[in-house]
Amino acid sequence: MRLVVVLAVLMGVSGIPDVTISPPTASADTSAHPNSIPETADESEQIKARTEEGAEEDVMATGELNPNHYPARRAAQVVQHYLNTRYGSPFRLIGVQTVHSGNAEDVADSGRKYQLELSVNDITNTTQTCSAELFFPKGKGQQPPEVKALCEELVKIDIKAQEEALYQKYKTNQTLMSAQYLPDSHGHIEPDMKPFWHLGILASSFIMLNESTENTLYNVAQVANITQLTTEEDHLEFDCHTLLHEMVSQEIIHWKMLFTWSPAEGVKVVQMKRLPHRHEREKSPKTN
Amino acid sequence: MQHVQDFPAACSFIPMCDISLSICLQVDFWLDPVSTELPVDIRVPRFSLIPVKEHLTFHNIPFTVMIENVQELLDKEKAEMEANQMKERSTRSLNFGAYHDLNTIYSWMDTLVADYPNLITKQHIGVSYENRPMYVLKFSTGGYNRPAIWVDTGIHAREWVTQATGVWTANKIATDYGTDASLTSLLNTMDLYMLIVANPDGYVFSHTNDRMWRKTRSVNPGYACRGVDPNRNWDAGFGGPGASSYPCSDSYHGPSANSEIEVKNVVNLIQSHGNFKAFISVHSYSQLLMYPYGYVCSSANHQAELHSVGTAAAQKLTSLYGTAYQVGSICNIIYQASGGSIDWSYNSGIKYSFAFELRDTGRYGFILPADQIIPTASETWLALKHIMEYVRDHPY
């Protein structure tokens, strides 16, 4: 009852523009990495510039970590994304509250391992303490981190009724829902749209988890669009466009996702695709 | 009942307390007749004045005129109310719990200055890339070139809670001067400079085109992308790690230090003034209170003192609503970042250099709900005040 041990191994290449990525699987198949070729010279420049910046941060903190400094906090954020992919709900988003302690070490030449003690809370303000272990692999291309987390009791509390109600309402509705800009520019969001904002964040958590490294810190800046699609299956299906904010580069990164949700299955991301950077979208008319 | 249009002569025989009198002479009872012991107040229209007075005199009913001319009084009251409303529409009526566009903020600044002419002046410190004026509010009670404190908000366009906090704070200072002993003593010896919209072009763009815009709007020759990150453009480790050399990047440092006119305008002011003792730059989001350095991870000379002041300030902030802040150097707390403003100010000799990252920690991020503006500004004020008081009490 108290301890929940979870092991998650996530595969798949991510962070490369305009590549459609198949959903993470439970198997340890590392060979299915589509190659990516930057479409324009500008993009390769951008990737190069980012790599140069990344290289500067190679000398990372090792040993006991200061829980208030960024290495521990970035790792904690990764745990947050992981927990949301596993335990999040339209009625429950998990967030890091406090990092208590942390430790980092190099693992031969394969990557870096972190251990963290942290507290998380959710929108109902219940606090849980967790222990987590993360592994950031080194090497060519970007591989997602591996996360293990042990929390007090991250079971779904009391939201089953709300989830069922949401599911039924939108399973049987006459018109498919669609919403833009959640929240709006002024931070406002209609109460009955909140679950969809949260769904957008949950789906994005798979991406943010996949994309995370020791040199990133992701949050969802805004759900630009979430549109319900018809489906005969026992879940709701959505097309979603979200804006992610990456703190270290300060970039806003656009992603499009196809995902499903049901109270029984939770969120499953079927397809995800990174959209071109704003300037790349601005540029296209000029080339006509 | 018939409404009598023709006047007094036809009604002169009607007894005083007859209700038909009020209809006839249109006398309005303000204090109704209750008994013969108690007075009666009436309002008498001009055309009935003579017959009413004659009637009262004839019947030996003593009376005094309380108000000679009610209409005059009403007119005066209306004018006063209108004037108050006009004033209300100015400083006080600005909804501090909402986000406002540049024009609204600029208009409001004028009304603030008009309301507090002995405390606040508006200084034009230059223009933006797109030729918009940049204004600083100077809070001063006199003296010449007094030691000064600098606060800027809105250097990054999308961080809307910061410009809103700047507005609230300017108003707070204006209204509290004279009643808050500490603030009053501070302003009696020091000046305060506030740049509320440090990046006007970016701010406008974040309203009209792209809510997530961060940078300035300068043109980058050869690139479709515009803008430079104004907080990578200062002359402190310029071009070093934590800033991008790619113009399309949101952390692009620009072609050279101070290439951005918005930055240059501030540098010019600070340098020509020569007597700034504190430099505070306000950003969002992450809930952090930081001090130099960002461009290197080694400790600043005054690290211990800055950490101590920062910690105490953050505790004051937290005391209001429990909002938790982390305190530390930029490089340790958030990331290594070169060309930042407080690194420049610190290296210029302004010892008390701090950077805030306001609410929240990522749930809403840049799009913080408007109903959190005032709580954010209120808690931040406690920290700002603490720093300013410390600066006042530790002259150097």
Side-chain angles (χ1 to χ4, degrees):
Chain A
M1 174 208 62
R2 267 186 56 85
L3 298 181
V4 176
V5 183
V6 183
L7 174 70
V9 177
L10 298 156
M11 290 298 137
V13 174
S14 50
I16 299 153
D18 288 343
V19 171
T20 304
I21 298 160
S22 52
T25 62
S27 68
D29 181 10
T30 55
S31 59
H33 293 192
N35 282 327
S36 77
I37 299 152
E39 287 190 40
T40 64
D42 279 338
E43 277 183 47
S44 62
E45 248 179 86
Q46 180 184 13
I47 291 164
K48 180 164 172 276
R50 285 166 72 206
T51 314
E52 278 168 4
E53 288 154 43
E56 295 294 348
E57 300 204 48
D58 259 351
V59 184
M60 296 292 283
T62 299
E64 184 158 344
L65 301 176
N66 184 320
N68 296 329
H69 290 184
Y70 70 74
R73 299 194 63 81
R74 287 180 196 173
Q77 192 87 344
V78 177
V79 177
Q80 173 183 306
H81 299 319
Y82 166 78
L83 291 173
N84 275 316
T85 62
R86 300 286 304 191
Y87 303 103
S89 154
F91 300 98
R92 183 200 202 184
L93 275 187
I94 299 161
V96 173
Q97 189 186 65
T98 321
V99 182
H100 301 294
S101 66
N103 198 284
E105 63 187 41
D106 290 312
V107 178
D109 250 335
S110 63
R112 280 174 50 86
K113 188 169 105 170
Y114 282 72
Q115 276 159 332
L116 288 181
E117 301 292 318
L118 65 156
S119 290
V120 299
N121 58 8
D122 60 31
I123 43 192
T124 69
N125 257 327
T126 340
T127 305
Q128 315 263 356
T129 44
C130 301
S131 297
E133 228 173 72
L134 301 95
F135 179 70
F136 292 100
K138 238 187 255 197
K140 271 205 164 181
Q142 192 199 296
Q143 296 172 66
E146 298 162 22
V147 185
K148 281 188 249 187
L150 209 113
C151 293
E152 276 183 303
E153 26 178 305
L154 272 177
V155 288
K156 293 189 177 182
I157 23 138
D158 229 2
I159 47 177
K160 284 225 174 286
Q162 292 169 284
E163 287 184 338
E164 272 308 316
L166 183 76
Y167 180 71
Q168 287 308 324
K169 178 175 177 188
Y170 287 91
K171 201 61 184 144
T172 58
N173 55 352
Q174 303 281 36
T175 50
L176 300 168
M177 71 75 61
S178 183
Q180 284 80 43
Y181 302 118
L182 304 175
D184 71 14
S185 288
H186 297 244
H188 177 74
I189 178 165
E190 287 298 310
D192 58 351
M193 286 296 110
K194 270 200 169 158
F196 299 102
W197 175 41
H198 293 164
L199 276 171
I201 294 175
L202 293 181
S204 302
S205 296
F206 288 84
I207 298 172
M208 295 192 287
L209 179 56
N210 255 13
E211 295 290 300
S212 289
T213 69
E214 292 170 280
N215 299 320
T216 61
L217 193 134
Y218 279 97
N219 284 292
V220 175
Q222 192 180 42
V223 173
N225 184 300
I226 179 165
T227 302
Q228 188 182 4
L229 306 171
T230 36
T231 172
E232 298 297 314
E233 314 272 327
D234 287 338
H235 52 224
L236 302 178
E237 190 160 316
F238 298 94
D239 186 73
C240 178
H241 175 171
T242 63
L243 278 56
L244 304 185
H245 173 232
E246 200 289 292
M247 185 74 71
V248 181
S249 64
Q250 289 293 344
E251 296 295 336
I252 300 290
I253 309 165
H254 295 242
W255 282 84
K256 241 181 162 320
M257 287 158 273
L258 193 65
F259 72 92
T260 64
W261 174 78
S262 72
E265 292 181 339
V267 169
K268 283 190 170 356
V269 177
V270 175
Q271 244 182 66
M272 48 188 172
K273 174 176 161 155
R274 183 178 158 168
L275 297 179
H277 192 270
R278 167 207 312 124
H279 68 274
E280 291 154 35
R281 281 177 277 120
E282 272 172 23
K283 221 168 39 182
S284 347
K286 283 196 172 191
T287 60
N288 285 346
Chain B
M1 200 148 293
Q2 196 175 13
H3 185 79
V4 177
Q5 293 289 352
D6 284 346
F7 296 141
C11 307
S12 56
F13 298 114
I14 297 166
M16 193 52 163
C17 294
D18 193 318
I19 191 144
S20 54
L21 176 71
S22 64
I23 294 158
C24 176
L25 289 170
Q26 292 184 44
V27 164
D28 177 16
F29 284 84
W30 283 7
L31 247 186
D32 284 318
V34 173
S35 81
T36 51
E37 309 298 313
L38 294 170
V40 176
D41 286 354
I42 54 172
R43 174 185 60 81
V44 183
R46 174 180 286 145
F47 59 79
S48 304
L49 261 178
I50 296 171
V52 169
K53 277 182 171 174
E54 276 180 7
H55 187 90
L56 292 170
T57 316
F58 184 79
H59 290 277
N60 283 319
I61 298 167
F63 66 91
T64 45
V65 175
M66 294 167 74
I67 303 169
E68 275 287 342
N69 188 337
V70 176
Q71 190 58 53
E72 195 179 78
L73 215 62
L74 286 173
D75 288 343
K76 199 166 151 219
E77 187 185 42
K78 184 167 178 233
E80 231 177 82
M81 278 176 68
E82 270 171 24
N84 279 341
Q85 258 179 40
M86 287 297 289
K87 246 190 172 190
E88 284 263 307
R89 247 176 259 131
S90 56
T91 57
R92 265 141 289 172
S93 81
L94 184 87
N95 181 0
F96 296 106
Y99 294 111
H100 299 290
D101 66 17
L102 187 71
N103 287 339
T104 308
I105 293 178
Y106 277 9
S107 306
W108 170 82
M109 278 168 58
D110 285 335
T111 58
L112 187 73
V113 170
D115 280 358
Y116 300 95
N118 296 325
L119 181 64
I120 314 175
T121 49
K122 185 177 87 169
Q123 279 188 21
H124 182 268
I125 68 164
V127 295
S128 67
Y129 181 84
E130 290 176 337
N131 216 34
R132 293 186 174 86
M134 287 180 67
Y135 297 121
V136 151
L137 292 179
K138 178 184 173 186
F139 295 76
S140 179
T141 60
Y144 172 73
N145 201 235
R146 281 182 177 168
I149 294 170
W150 170 270
V151 177
D152 65 74
T153 54
I155 196 168
H156 288 136
R158 61 192 179 201
E159 299 168 7
W160 282 16
V161 72
T162 70
Q163 297 92 339
T165 292
V167 166
W168 182 94
T169 306
N171 185 66
K172 177 70 173 167
I173 294 167
T175 52
D176 273 13
Y177 175 75
T179 51
D180 179 314
S182 184
L183 178 69
T184 306
S185 88
L186 189 141
L187 283 170
N188 285 342
T189 53
M190 298 186 78
D191 291 343
L192 180 61
Y193 286 70
M194 282 194 68
L195 175 60
I196 294 176
V197 189
N199 179 3
D201 297 347
Y203 192 56
V204 169
F205 196 76
S206 72
H207 280 265
T208 58
N209 286 70
D210 182 355
R211 178 63 179 82
M212 298 295 164
W213 189 261
R214 168 181 168 88
K215 303 188 287 181
T216 62
R217 289 291 299 162
S218 54
V219 166
N220 293 310
Y223 290 89
C225 334
R226 288 170 75 137
V228 165
D229 184 341
N231 206 30
R232 301 286 184 279
N233 190 244
W234 300 71
D235 196 2
F238 177 82
S244 175
S245 53
Y246 180 51
C248 298
S249 164
D250 256 333
S251 57
Y252 173 50
H253 49 56
S256 58
N258 303 326
S259 64
E260 300 314 281
I261 188 171
E262 294 84 355
V263 169
K264 190 76 179 114
N265 290 335
V266 176
V267 170
N268 286 344
L269 184 153
I270 303 276
Q271 284 179 339
S272 55
H273 184 282
N275 204 20
F276 276 91
K277 300 300 177 188
F279 186 99
I280 301 167
S281 198
V282 184
H283 297 254
S284 76
Y285 59 92
S286 287
Q287 294 174 202
L288 309 169
L289 177 43
M290 301 175 289
Y291 47 81
Y293 287 111
Y295 74 96
V296 287
C297 288
S298 44
S299 298
N301 285 341
H302 306 97
Q303 149 96 13
E305 186 187 5
L306 292 173
H307 191 83
S308 164
V309 177
T311 303
Q315 280 168 2
K316 294 261 171 80
L317 186 154
T318 305
S319 73
L320 196 59
Y321 299 113
T323 308
Y325 264 60
Q326 307 302 322
V327 180
S329 72
I330 295 172
C331 194
N332 285 331
I333 288 291
I334 193 170
Y335 42 48
Q336 189 176 15
S338 57
S341 64
I342 74 165
D343 284 357
W344 170 82
S345 64
Y346 182 78
N347 282 349
S348 301
I350 303 174
K351 184 177 11 166
Y352 300 114
S353 292
F354 291 95
F356 281 81
E357 293 277 359
L358 302 184
R359 291 195 194 180
D360 60 8
T361 53
R363 178 136 189 266
Y364 287 95
F366 299 119
I367 339 186
L368 195 71
D371 64 13
Q372 288 199 44
I373 294 173
I374 296 176
T376 301
S378 306
E379 67 192 10
T380 305
W381 172 237
L382 299 182
L384 276 174
K385 228 179 128 202
H386 178 89
I387 294 171
M388 299 197 308
E389 286 163 358
Y390 187 91
V391 176
R392 172 198 68 198
D393 298 340
H394 295 81
Y396 63 97

